[in-house]
């Protein structure tokens, strides 16, 4: 008999891959093979401005954000990347659809979210500065504190995908899901 907790985690990983691959139109995103003590997150192929993003997915009855964030930080170090995100299943929000996945929690410590936003902003000069500035302000406005943890915030996965995609429309250009 399969372990139900492992099955839930596998399902969240699989649907996170499906969602991000669809949103970013990037077929290189996939589940990561385990590396034992040198684990590097649950997904491979998620990139931000040419750097890998460590993605850790958790579907637990009682979210332990602090513990899961510490685990992610170790995996970010193993991956040698400054970018990481914890994808936490939101209670009552299904994961087996693109619409449900768009509403899952993308969790960051404030420092990591600001690192993403600073890189997204890039140089001050440039024709798209105000577009980048508007997205960064929107993400700051819409980030919500993680319950019982003042150093962590979350955004819907859809907004995190929008950041990864530099504010460009998510999904295929032809409007088909």
């Amino acid at each position: 008999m399969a372990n139900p907790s492992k099955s839930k985690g596998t399902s969240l990983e699989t649907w996170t891959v499906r969602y991000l691959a669809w949103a970013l139109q990037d077929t290189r995103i996939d589940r990561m093979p385990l590396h034992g003590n040198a684990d590097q997150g649950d997904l491979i192929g998620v990139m931000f401005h040419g750097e890998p993003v460590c993605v850790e997915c958790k579907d637990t009855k009682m979210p332990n954000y602090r513990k899961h964030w510490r685990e992610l930080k170790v995996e970010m170090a193993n991956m040698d990347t400054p970018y990481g995100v914890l994808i936490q299943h939101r209670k009552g929000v299904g994961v087996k659809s693109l619409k449900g996945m768009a509403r899952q929690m993308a969790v960051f410590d404030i420092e990591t979210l600001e690192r993403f936003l600073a890189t997204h902003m890039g140089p001050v000069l440039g024709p798209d500065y105000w577009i980048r500035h508007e997205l960064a302000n929107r993400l700051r406005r819409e980030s919500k504190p993680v319950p019982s943890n003042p150093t962590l915030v979350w955004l819907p996965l859809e907004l995190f995908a929008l950041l990864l995609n530099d504010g460009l429309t998510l999904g295929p250009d032809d409007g088909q899901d």
Side-chain angles (χ1 to χ4, degrees):
M1 183 166 178
N3 178 341
S5 294
K6 188 164 177 66
S7 294
K8 283 175 35 179
T10 298
S11 180
L12 181 63
E13 289 174 20
T14 300
W15 277 95
T16 301
V17 165
R18 288 179 185 166
Y19 180 77
L20 289 176
W22 169 83
L24 305 174
Q25 291 297 285
D26 191 339
T27 57
R28 295 170 295 182
I29 299 171
D30 205 350
R31 290 182 63 220
M32 173 85 82
L34 295 176
H35 288 90
N37 289 341
D39 199 7
Q40 298 181 1
D42 294 325
L43 305 188
I44 191 167
V46 179
M47 302 296 286
F48 180 69
H49 288 256
E51 295 282 338
V53 177
C54 186
V55 181
E56 183 68 21
C57 300
K58 294 293 184 185
D59 189 349
T60 55
K61 279 186 182 176
M62 293 299 294
N64 189 335
Y65 299 104
R66 188 171 287 128
K67 176 184 172 194
H68 296 155
W69 186 259
R70 281 192 310 264
E71 180 182 336
L72 175 68
K73 292 293 275 188
V74 168
E75 294 175 359
M76 287 167 61
N78 290 344
M79 188 183 260
D80 192 26
T81 185
Y83 302 112
V85 62
L86 168 64
I87 307 301
Q88 177 70 49
H89 178 214
R90 286 179 68 190
K91 278 193 185 296
V93 179
V95 299
K96 294 186 178 180
S97 71
L98 295 177
K99 186 180 275 190
M101 285 307 302
R103 296 175 46 216
Q104 299 306 320
M105 296 174 76
V107 178
F108 316 84
D109 64 8
I110 295 166
E111 177 184 324
T112 303
L113 178 58
E114 286 300 323
R115 187 178 308 118
F116 272 109
L117 295 177
T119 301
H120 165 71
M121 287 302 298
V124 175
L125 301 174
D128 63 344
Y129 172 77
W130 290 110
I131 295 168
R132 290 181 282 129
H133 182 71
E134 184 57 37
L135 177 60
N137 284 340
R138 177 182 177 198
L139 295 177
R140 283 188 186 100
R141 273 192 320 271
E142 295 192 30
S143 67
K144 299 170 181 73
V146 166
S148 304
N149 197 316
T151 63
L152 297 178
V153 295
W154 73 275
L155 296 164
L157 181 57
E158 178 178 34
L159 290 180
F160 178 60
L162 201 57
L163 175 62
L164 292 175
N165 211 33
D166 275 327
L168 300 174
T169 303
L170 302 177
D173 290 334
D174 60 11
Q176 296 177 1
D177 297 51

